[in-house]
């Protein structure tokens, strides 16, 4: 599949948005990257994760407490991904490129490949959001049908009931299957993988070895295989479900679009910024707890329009973007509560089960 192209306009909506957002930061003389609030949160998450891991693996708590700690470890891993790795990967965690790189490579310790994530997420998902055959984030086949252009199987009639199960498998699948598939096929969906140099190959295998050592080898040695297996299932299931649901609520709900390029020109009818607004949704933006935990990814519209701006600024710039959308007559999809977004996501999965 050739890379889709976006429409261009003389009076660019994206250009106007950039001007207004640039003015916001210039007038206040503040950086677009993180600040002490983000760094404090990062320390809290990393220290909490380390303490939980050490206690769980080396101090062998009781069975019930061990399961609770395994689940907590999964929740903390997801939070580190949302807040530290994600901002670092987009270059918005700090003004220092080195610190951003350090933040980004935490993904390697958490089971993923920083290289693969950069290509899959930064280059492909952010450019071609919700375009089937290109955006890997809407490919959960054969278990789930995320868009009407995907083949329908009988099992999809029930996907709005069982979706949580494949979501729980995401982290395991990511760590043990999908990274390797991309590595050996040199493709992400139908898009060719960016060429890896020697350092990329070495880091891919080194980080996999670190992850397997931390979460498989060492725990089996210290607590035994059976105890490790039960704890690991709880840990990876919680991680996978949280990661899945947060990203799915941002793109696969009733009011988001799944554009199909023109068969002749291979063009998307909208300019890039309009495309991002049509394919992305916000949720629970008034909840400080949700915003804190998911690293501002409930402000997914702001993130997709300005991925190099740290999530700590999203509540403020969302007001500017909303105003611009009202003036230009562009829909701004937002669910006031997280529960509303979950209901919409389940309803959308049900629609895909019925659609031909």
């Amino acid at each position: 599949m050739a890379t889709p192209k976006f429409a261009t306009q003389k009076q660019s909506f994206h250009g106007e948005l950039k001007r207004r957002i640039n003015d916001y930061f210039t007038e206040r003389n503040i950086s677009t990257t993180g600040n002490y609030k983000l760094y404090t949160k990062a320390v809290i998450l990393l220290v909490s994760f380390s303490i939980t891991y050490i206690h769980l693996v080396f101090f062998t708590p009781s069975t019930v407490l061990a399961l609770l700690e395994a689940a907590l470890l999964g929740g903390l891993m997801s939070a580190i991904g949302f807040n530290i790795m994600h901002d670092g990967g987009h270059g918005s965690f700090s003004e220092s490129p080195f610190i951003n790189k350090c933040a980004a490579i935490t993904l390697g310790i958490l089971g993923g490949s920083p290289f693969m994530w950069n290509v899959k997420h930064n280059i492909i998902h952010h450019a071609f959001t919700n375009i089937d055959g290109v955006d890997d984030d809407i490919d959960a086949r054969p278990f789930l049908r995320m868009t009407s252009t995907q083949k329908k199987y009988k099992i999809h009639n029930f996907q709005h009931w069982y979706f949580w199960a494949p979501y729980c498998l995401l982290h395991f699948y990511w760590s043990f299957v999908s990274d390797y598939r991309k590595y050996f096929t040199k493709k992400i969906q139908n898009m060719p993988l960016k060429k890896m140099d020697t350092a990329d190959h070495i880091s891919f295998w080194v980080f996999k070895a670190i992850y397997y050592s931390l979460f498989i080898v060492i725990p089996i040695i210290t607590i035994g295989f059976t105890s490790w297996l039960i704890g690991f299932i709880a840990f990876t299931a919680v991680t996978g479900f949280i990661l899945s649901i947060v990203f799915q609520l941002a793109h696969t709900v009733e009011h988001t679009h799944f554009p199909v390029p023109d068969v002749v020109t291979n063009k998307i009818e909208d300019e890039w910024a309009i495309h991002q607004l049509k394919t992305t949704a916000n949720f629970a933006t008034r909840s400080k707890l949700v915003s804190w935990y998911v690293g501002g990814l409930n402000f997914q519209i702001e993130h997709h329009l300005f991925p190099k701006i740290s999530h700590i600024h999203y509540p403020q710039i969302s007001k500017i973007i909303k105003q611009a959308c009202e003036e230009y007559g562009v829909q701004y999809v937002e669910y006031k509560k997280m529960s509303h977004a979950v209901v919409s996501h389940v309803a959308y999965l049900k629609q895909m089960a019925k659609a031909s």
Side-chain angles (χ1 to χ4, degrees), residues 78-93:
S78 301
I80 289 171
F82 294 144
N83 291 277
I84 303 174
M85 183 282 295
H86 193 251
D87 271 32
H90 282 290
S92 64
F93 186 84

Side-chain angles (χ1 to χ4, degrees), residues 48-87:
S48 299
F49 183 86
S50 300
I51 291 174
T52 304
Y53 174 87
I54 291 170
H55 188 258
L56 181 61
V57 174
F58 296 105
F59 291 88
T60 318
S62 63
T63 302
V64 174
L65 181 57
L67 283 173
L68 290 174
E69 287 190 355
L72 174 61
L73 198 67
L76 289 169
M77 174 176 275
S78 301
I80 289 171
F82 294 144
N83 291 277
I84 303 174
M85 183 282 295
H86 193 251
D87 271 32

Side-chain angles (χ1 to χ4, degrees), residues 3-291:
T3 304
K5 307 295 182 183
F6 293 97
T8 56
Q9 298 180 4
K10 291 182 178 179
Q11 298 295 327
S12 171
F13 174 68
H14 190 205
E16 178 61 19
L17 280 180
K18 288 194 291 185
R19 184 188 67 78
R20 296 186 187 190
I21 297 301
N22 287 337
D23 287 348
Y24 169 83
F25 286 99
T26 301
E27 290 169 4
R28 289 160 180 78
N29 193 29
I30 57 176
S31 171
T32 59
T33 57
N35 58 23
Y36 73 95
K37 293 181 180 179
L38 177 55
Y39 307 147
T40 301
K41 177 163 57 170
V43 171
I44 291 172
L45 291 174
L46 290 172
V47 170
S48 299
F49 183 86
S50 300
I51 291 174
T52 304
Y53 174 87
I54 291 170
H55 188 258
L56 181 61
V57 174
F58 296 105
F59 291 88
T60 318
S62 63
T63 302
V64 174
L65 181 57
L67 283 173
L68 290 174
E69 287 190 355
L72 174 61
L73 198 67
L76 289 169
M77 174 176 275
S78 301
I80 289 171
F82 294 144
N83 291 277
I84 303 174
M85 183 282 295
H86 193 251
D87 271 32
H90 282 290
S92 64
F93 186 84
S94 167
E95 292 182 352
S96 166
F98 175 75
I99 293 177
N100 281 327
K101 187 172 183 179
C102 290
I105 63 174
T106 56
L107 177 63
I109 301 172
L110 305 182
S113 164
F115 178 89
M116 297 300 172
W117 185 86
N118 179 60
V119 179
K120 162 190 162 67
H121 184 81
N122 287 5
I123 298 175
I124 296 177
H125 169 69
H126 269 268
F128 307 108
T129 313
N130 279 11
I131 299 178
D132 186 30
V134 184
D135 185 1
D136 192 58
D137 282 10
I138 59 169
D139 180 24
R141 293 172 288 186
F143 304 107
L144 297 168
R145 187 186 191 218
M146 294 296 191
T147 174
S148 60
T149 54
Q150 295 175 351
K151 185 176 180 179
K152 181 183 176 183
Y153 297 100
K154 289 184 179 179
I155 192 175
H156 295 149
N157 291 325
F158 309 98
Q159 67 177 9
H160 53 291
W161 292 107
Y162 68 75
F163 68 92
W164 58 269
Y167 287 3
C168 286
L169 291 173
L170 172 71
H171 180 247
F172 178 86
Y173 182 76
W174 190 359
S175 305
F176 291 88
V177 180
S178 66
D179 274 350
Y180 294 107
R181 177 178 293 174
K182 295 175 178 64
Y183 184 87
F184 288 110
T185 63
K186 299 179 181 179
K187 290 194 304 181
I188 297 179
Q189 288 275 10
N190 297 315
M191 303 292 287
L193 185 66
K194 178 184 175 183
K195 187 176 180 180
M196 301 175 72
D197 58 27
T198 302
D200 294 326
H201 286 288
I202 293 173
S203 67
F204 179 88
W205 293 106
V206 167
F207 280 122
K208 289 296 182 184
I210 292 173
Y211 173 75
Y212 297 149
S213 297
L214 288 173
F215 296 98
I216 300 177
V217 178
I218 294 175
I220 289 176
I221 292 172
T222 57
I223 63 176
F225 179 83
T226 302
S227 296
W228 161 78
L229 181 61
I230 295 171
F232 184 78
I233 290 173
F235 155 72
T236 195
V238 169
T239 305
F241 182 80
I242 293 174
L243 292 174
S244 293
I245 200 67
V246 168
F247 284 107
Q248 295 303 337
L249 295 185
H251 297 292
T252 54
V253 286
E254 294 172 288
H255 299 93
T256 52
H257 294 205
F258 295 79
V260 177
D262 185 274
V263 293
V264 177
T265 64
N266 199 38
K267 282 189 174 183
I268 299 295
E269 64 176 359
D270 296 305
E271 65 163 290
W272 180 82
I274 301 294
H275 173 84
Q276 296 304 319
L277 280 153
K278 284 186 174 182
T279 58
T280 309
N282 284 1
F283 61 90
T285 52
R286 295 180 182 178
S287 172
K288 292 184 178 180
L289 177 61
V290 171
S291 297

Side-chain angles (χ1 to χ4, degrees), residues 334-349:
E334 181 175 17
Y335 297 93
K336 298 298 182 183
K337 296 182 179 181
M338 188 168 184
S339 59
H340 296 170
V342 171
V343 169
S344 184
H345 175 59
V346 174
Y348 176 76
L349 291 176

